[in-house]
Amino acid sequence: MDEVTVVVAHSERATLRVGDVFLKVDADQARIDVEVEAMALAPVPTPEVLWRKPPVLAIAAVPGVTLGRLGGPSTGSSAAWAAAGAAIRKLHDAPLPPRSGGAGRSIVALAAELDDECELLVTSGLLPADLVTRNRQVTEAALRPWTPAFTHGDLQIAHVFVDGDEVTGIIDWSEAGQGDALYDLATFTLGHEEHLDDVVAGYGTDVDLDVIHAWWSLRSLLAVRWLTGHGFDPFAPGCEVDVLRSRM
């Protein structure tokens, strides 16, 4: 009998693996709706949807391995990272999906949440004021007008699978929708700055690196308290707090 492996679990959702099947349990059916819709529209390899019975979505495992994980060593050749960049560009060039995604929040709403979060990080003593202040300054480059693209919205390195130098699958599309393309690139390279050049080379167009750096800071600032409160460790080597420290 196949073992049941907990891939990720917190108060909002859980993902289990049973053999070659992933079971995603999510009380928010809107997220599952977005995921199924996005996988059908995306012009890149995505998992096969096997069945759906709320609150569970069953999808097939994709072949290959990830290029690493946040806080862990990166793997794969420069060509594999470039292939990921090319796949991301193909997604961004696709016709727009019907709704806004996780990378599509308004500048005004994002800046307001960011300011509130920075204040809480300091007043709670979770992060030192100089670290928060410096990274808040860095984030300004991301708070600018952008042209909507078809974005994944949560393109963590663990969500992209490769076999050799070929992308075999991109998973976890619940934040997909119209958004800022550079947010995807920044999320994918978060904590793996050494491969940014490879990804940009595969992406095949000029990228404003200051905006990438800004999104690294912004995503990390917004994530620290949430991660701490949901059983994750943003202070682990190579994770969000180290990303913030690298901007000092």
Side-chain angles (χ1 to χ4, degrees), residues 39-216:
M39 288 192 294
L41 295 174
V44 295
T46 60
E48 177 189 0
V49 175
L50 300 176
W51 51 265
R52 180 182 181 186
K53 186 176 181 180
V56 182
L57 172 69
I59 60 175
V62 297
V65 297
T66 67
L67 288 170
R69 61 180 178 81
L70 183 62
S74 60
T75 59
S77 64
S78 293
W81 284 85
I88 297 168
R89 176 64 184 275
K90 187 175 183 180
L91 174 67
H92 291 166
D93 285 345
L96 293 175
R99 66 188 87 200
S100 181
R105 299 186 57 199
S106 76
I107 296 171
V108 173
L110 198 57
E113 181 183 357
L114 184 60
D115 287 338
D116 289 343
E117 194 65 26
C118 287
E119 182 178 359
L120 289 168
L121 287 168
V122 174
T123 57
S124 67
L126 199 57
L127 292 178
D130 61 340
L131 183 65
V132 173
T133 299
R134 169 55 184 156
N135 277 275
R136 178 62 182 87
Q137 293 169 347
V138 172
T139 66
E140 282 297 320
L143 302 175
R144 87 285 178 225
W146 41 266
T147 301
F150 189 156
T151 53
H152 180 281
D154 189 23
L155 199 63
Q156 301 175 45
I157 185 176
H159 292 164
V160 179
F161 286 73
V162 299
D163 184 0
D165 298 336
E166 179 183 355
V167 174
T168 54
I170 300 177
I171 65 172
D172 286 359
W173 291 81
S174 61
E175 299 295 325
Q178 298 182 29
D180 181 357
L182 296 192
Y183 179 84
D184 272 355
L185 290 175
T187 302
F188 183 63
T189 55
L190 183 74
H192 291 286
E193 186 170 358
E194 71 277 12
H195 288 293
L196 177 59
D197 287 345
D198 295 328
V199 173
V200 171
Y203 194 72
T205 189
D206 290 338
V207 169
D208 190 331
L209 297 183
D210 286 341
V211 175
I212 298 290
H213 299 159
W215 275 123
W216 286 343

